[in-house]
Amino acid sequence: NRVFDRYPIVKTGRAIMAKSARIDAHLDSSGQALDDLADVIIGATGALRGEPVLTRNVDHFDRMPDVDVATY
C-alpha cells in the first residue's frame, strides 16, 4: 500500500482521452491493436504525466509510443 500512497488518483479528462485515441489509432494501424482499452488509457495517462507505467503486463505497454514501462 505504501506505493499507492505516493501517487494520486488521476481522473481522465479530454487530454488523456485524446492521447488514448492517438495511441489506439497507432496500435491499430501498425497491426498491434489491443482488446483492452483500459490499458491504452493507463498508458496515455503515464505518457502525459511523464511517469512510467508499473506493470507485469509489459507486452501491452511496450508497444505504445511515448509510454515508459517499469516492471516488478
Side-chain angles (χ1 to χ4, degrees):
N1 279 336
R2 282 187 252 153
V3 170
F4 296 117
D5 291 340
R6 294 188 322 182
Y7 297 99
I9 293 173
V10 178
K11 294 181 181 182
T12 58
R14 187 179 308 260
I16 290 173
M17 296 315 287
K19 180 69 171 177
S20 298
R22 289 191 299 274
I23 290 172
D24 192 50
H26 168 80
L27 293 173
D28 189 49
S29 68
S30 64
Q32 301 180 71
L34 295 177
D35 292 334
D36 192 350
L37 188 56
D39 280 355
V40 176
I41 295 169
I42 292 166
T45 302
L48 287 177
R49 292 181 56 83
E51 297 178 2
V53 173
L54 180 62
T55 183
R56 287 187 189 178
N57 189 2
V58 175
D59 178 57
H60 275 195
F61 295 96
D62 264 352
R63 62 179 95 175
M64 294 182 198
D66 305 323
V67 176
D68 293 322
V69 181
T71 190
Y72 56 97

